[in-house]
C-alpha cells in the first residue's frame, strides 16, 4: 500500500476532566493508533470498532474546476472530533488508521491505495470511516467495500456526480465510474441520492440518472414535502440491499451551515433535517462503511463546517455502537 502515512497522534489533544473515569472521557482520550502497514487488531466478540482514515486529496476537485482546499479536511475534522464525549459503551473502540495522500496529481493511485486501506480495515472487523478530501474519495471507499453483491450506495449530495469521464475522472464522475464498473462485473448498481439540486445538475444528468435507475430526493422536496413519503422511499431502497455504504458530500448542506465546501449551496438542506435521514438509515443496521467529503478549511468560518462534519461522525459512531453492542 503506497501513499500511506501512519497516524499522527499529536492531533488528538483536548480537555481532560478525568484521567481514569471512562464516563468523563472525550474522544481524544479514547482514540488509539492503528498503523495499517504493520499492525492488526482483533476485537473480542463483545466489542466493535471504528477506524478513521483520512484521504488527503482535492485533485478531483481541481480537475473538476472547483475550489481546491478539501485536502486539509481530514486534519480539521479530526480536531473537531477531539472534545466530543465518549457517549457510548467502552466496548466500542475508536482507532486512527492514518492517511492516504495523493502525489503528483495521481488521483487514480491514491484512490486505489484508499480502497486497499478500507478493505484492510474491514478485514479486521472494523467499520471504516473515511475523512475526505474531495468527493473523489467515494470511488476509493466503494472499491474497498464492495464485498457484498448487493451493496447499496446512499449519497447525501447536491449533485449526482455521474458526469462522463472520457476527459478524465474527477470529483464529479465517481458514480458514473461505479455504474460502469458494476455493468462490467454484472453487479447491480444501487444508488440513492438525497438532497439533489435542480440548479446543480443539467437536464442530461437527470436523464442519465433515470437511465441508470438512480433514485433520488430533491432538496426542495425534502424541505417542503411530507417527510413520511421521503422516508418510505428511502426505507424501500434500503430493504432491497444487503448492506449500505453512506457518503456525505458537504455541499448537501445550506451554505449558511456549511460555508467551507468546494461548491457552496445557498439552497442546501438544514443539517437537522439531513440528520433525520442519516439516523434513519442506521436504524436498518445495514451500514458497513461511510465517508464524508468536501470539507474545505480554507473557506470555512470558525471551523463550523468541520464541526458539522464531526457532528455527523458523532451520530454515526453512536449508531454503530448501539447497533453492534449489547448494552
Ligand atoms: Mn459530490
Amino acid at each position: 500500500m503506497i501513499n500511506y502515512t501512519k497516524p499522527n497522534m499529536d492531533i488528538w489533544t483536548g480537555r481532560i476532566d478525568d484521567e481514569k473515569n471512562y464516563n468523563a472521557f472525550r474522544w481524544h482520550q479514547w482514540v488509539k493508533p492503528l498503523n495499517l502497514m504493520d499492525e492488526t487488531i482483533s476485537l473480542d466478540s463483545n466489542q466493535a470498532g471504528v477506524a478513521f482514515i483520512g484521504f488527503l486529496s482535492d485533485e478531483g476537485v481541481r480537475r473538476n474546476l472547483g475550489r481546491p482546499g478539501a485536502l486539509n479536511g481530514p486534519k480539521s475534522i479530526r480536531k473537531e472530533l477531539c472534545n466530543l464525549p465518549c457517549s457510548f459503551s467502552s466496548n466500542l473502540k475508536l482507532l486512527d488508521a492514518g492517511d492516504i495522500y495523493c502525489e503528483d496529481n495521481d488521483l487514480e493511485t491514491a484512490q486505489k491505495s484508499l480502497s486497499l486501506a478500507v478493505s484492510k480495515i474491514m478485514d479486521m472487523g472494523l467499520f471504516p470511516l473515511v475523512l475526505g478530501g474531495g468527493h473523489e474519495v467515494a470511488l476509493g471507499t466503494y472499491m474497498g467495500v464492495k464485498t457484498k453483491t448487493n451493496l447499496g450506495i446512499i449519497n447525501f449530495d447536491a449533485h449526482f456526480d455521474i458526469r462522463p469521464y472520457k476527459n478524465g475522472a474527477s470529483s464529479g464522475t465517481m458514480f458514473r465510474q461505479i455504474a460502469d464498473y458494476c455493468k462490467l462485473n454484472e453487479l447491480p448498481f444501487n444508488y440513492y441520492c438525497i438532497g439533489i439540486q435542480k440548479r446543480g445538475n443539467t437536464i442530461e444528468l437527470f436523464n442519465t440518472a433515470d437511465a441508470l435507475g438512480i433514485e433520488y430526493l430533491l432538496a426542495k422536496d425534502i424541505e417542503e414535502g411530507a417527510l413520511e413519503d421521503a422516508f418510505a422511499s428511502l426505507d424501500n431502497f434500503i430493504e432491497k440491499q444487503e448492506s449500505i455504504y453512506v457518503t456525505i458530500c458537504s455541499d448537501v448542506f445550506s451554505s449558511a451551515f456549511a460555508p467551507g465546501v468546494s461548491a457552496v449551496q445557498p439552497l442546501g438542506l438544514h443539517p437537522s433535517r439531513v440528520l433525520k435521514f442519516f439516523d434513519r438509515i442506521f436504524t436498518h443496521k445495514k451500514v458497513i462503511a461511510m465517508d464524508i467529503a468536501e470539507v474545505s478549511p480554507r473557506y470555512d468560518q470558525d471551523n463550523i463546517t468541520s464541526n458539522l462534519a464531526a457532528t455527523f461522525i458523532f451520530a454515526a459512531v453512536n449508531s454503530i455502537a448501539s447497533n453492534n453492542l449489547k448494552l
Side-chain angles (χ1 to χ4, degrees), residues 118-171:
V118 166
S119 65
K120 272 192 182 198
I121 287 167
M122 292 187 79
D123 286 345
M124 293 180 214
L126 302 166
F127 182 102
L129 207 161
V130 188
L131 314 173
H135 206 184
E136 64 267 25
V137 67
L139 185 67
T141 308
Y142 175 86
M143 289 299 174
V145 172
K146 52 165 183 60
T147 50
K148 306 269 173 125
T149 51
N150 226 3
L151 176 65
I153 305 167
I154 300 178
N155 180 22
F156 288 91
D157 203 331
H159 311 98
F160 288 115
D161 293 342
I162 50 170
R163 306 223 322 269
Y165 53 96
K166 59 179 182 303
N167 296 324
S170 73
S171 61

Side-chain angles (χ1 to χ4, degrees), residues 255-305:
S255 49
F257 304 98
V261 297
S262 310
V264 289
Q265 286 301 328
L267 297 178
L269 294 171
H270 191 291
S272 60
R273 188 141 282 218
V274 176
L275 192 57
K276 285 194 173 79
F277 285 85
F278 187 74
D279 283 342
R280 181 147 188 128
I281 294 166
F282 279 90
T283 62
H284 288 263
K285 301 190 177 186
K286 290 185 176 181
V287 183
I288 57 169
M290 172 187 159
D291 57 34
I292 187 154
E294 299 284 329
V295 171
S296 190
R298 69 186 283 202
Y299 297 108
D300 210 356
Q301 294 158 9
D302 287 337
N303 302 325
I304 52 178
T305 313

Side-chain angles (χ1 to χ4, degrees), residues 66-86:
R67 308 187 301 173
L71 174 75
N72 295 313
K75 188 177 180 191
S76 183
I77 294 169
R78 278 187 178 97
K79 276 191 191 155
E80 297 302 320
L81 295 175
C82 282
N83 281 322
L84 290 172
C86 292

